[in-house]
Amino acid sequence: MTDASDAEQGGARQPRLSFGDPPADFRRQAFVAVDAAADALSFADAWIKSDAGFLAICGPDGSGKTHLGRILCAEFGEPGADADCLTASAPVDVVALLDKGARFVFVDDAHCAPKPQDLVDFLIAAAAAGLRVAVAGAGAPADWARGLKDLETRLEAMPRVTMAPPGEALLQALIAKLFQDRQLDVSADVVRYAAERLPRRFDAARAFVAAADGMANERQGPVTKALARQAIEALAEAPTGGDAPGVNS
């Protein structure tokens, strides 16, 4: 039987849908360019216009390093032709890249390279071939070398853009975008309330939005300030694990 409230709405209550994590969107317009992230994007744009051959992109997990590198790829041309996006865990054939006409290569996850010497060999070959290269990794570039002095010297000599932890304005923008990506209409008051109470970390913003979305879906209601408080409390009580990716990834 349909109750009075359902009848007023013209039928049975429709369940609230949770869309979960959206597919990664590496377009420039999807980059949350606020505060430190805006400075990083400006630095990358200036590097494109310079004659520097290499760029190091560093910062914590989930801070937007991959997104920034993908933006650089798009600026240099069509991925797979004028530009290529690779990971340090896979072997790189510079000759094959040149045969495809690549002018720029983005190498991600430099801190995960199984053999740092392979990264040295790639950088030497890329410099000889005139390829422009951006290398991204978690932590400081010197850490990616893992004691290999030649690689450390080359990385330290590169112009560097650092993705800093978010301030409150950026954290608010990140939370608002995450809710928007999940097709959730959440008030600015709720976003501000959460940003004032969460740790200043990208993974904290992502974890909060996922928790709030899950709670709201379970209760078939909106994301309110009271629900946001409960989500933050639940996260504070949860056991800590590995870093989760942030909005800009």
Side-chain angles (χ1 to χ4, degrees):
M1 179 178 292
T2 303
D3 64 24
S5 61
D6 286 337
E8 289 173 1
Q9 295 176 22
R13 179 179 180 181
Q14 295 297 314
R16 176 192 171 279
L17 299 178
S18 176
F19 291 90
D21 290 329
D25 184 353
F26 292 126
R27 296 174 301 163
R28 174 182 281 265
Q29 55 265 42
F31 190 85
V32 183
V34 176
D35 291 346
D39 294 338
L41 184 58
S42 295
F43 189 99
D45 284 337
W47 179 80
I48 291 173
K49 298 174 183 176
S50 75
D51 58 359
F54 296 93
L55 175 69
I57 304 174
C58 57
D61 285 340
S63 57
K65 302 182 297 295
T66 297
H67 198 156
L68 190 62
R70 296 277 183 163
I71 290 172
L72 289 172
C73 270
E75 291 295 330
F76 275 95
E78 202 64 34
D82 302 299
D84 250 299
C85 301
L86 310 169
T87 61
S89 59
V92 179
D93 186 342
V94 172
V95 174
L97 292 172
L98 293 174
D99 286 344
K100 290 195 298 184
R103 298 181 296 127
F104 168 82
V105 178
F106 170 54
V107 180
D108 204 1
D109 293 333
H111 60 290
C112 296
K115 297 180 180 178
Q117 183 61 50
D118 289 346
L119 188 53
V120 172
D121 294 341
F122 165 72
L123 294 176
I124 292 173
L131 274 177
R132 299 188 72 185
V133 178
V135 185
D143 298 334
W144 311 342
R146 301 207 296 275
L148 185 58
K149 193 61 181 178
D150 190 6
L151 179 55
E152 181 179 342
T153 299
R154 292 175 186 277
L155 292 170
E156 289 289 353
M158 295 179 184
R160 181 185 309 182
V161 56
T162 301
M163 310 296 291
E168 189 172 312
L170 177 53
L171 201 62
Q172 286 190 37
L174 293 173
I175 293 169
K177 183 180 184 300
L178 278 170
F179 278 127
Q180 182 181 7
D181 289 346
R182 290 170 178 259
Q183 302 185 32
L184 290 173
D185 186 13
V186 178
S187 73
D189 284 344
V190 171
V191 171
R192 184 165 51 250
Y193 175 88
E196 289 172 351
R197 289 160 176 80
L198 286 169
R200 299 290 175 84
R201 300 199 317 266
F202 297 96
D203 60 337
R206 184 181 180 88
F208 162 72
V209 171
D213 184 15
M215 287 182 174
N217 187 56
E218 181 179 341
R219 300 172 190 184
Q220 291 295 294
V223 179
T224 62
K225 194 176 291 186
L227 186 145
R229 174 178 56 78
Q230 293 169 15
I232 293 170
E233 290 174 351
L235 291 173
E237 296 170 359
T240 57
D243 290 334
V247 177
N248 288 338
S249 287

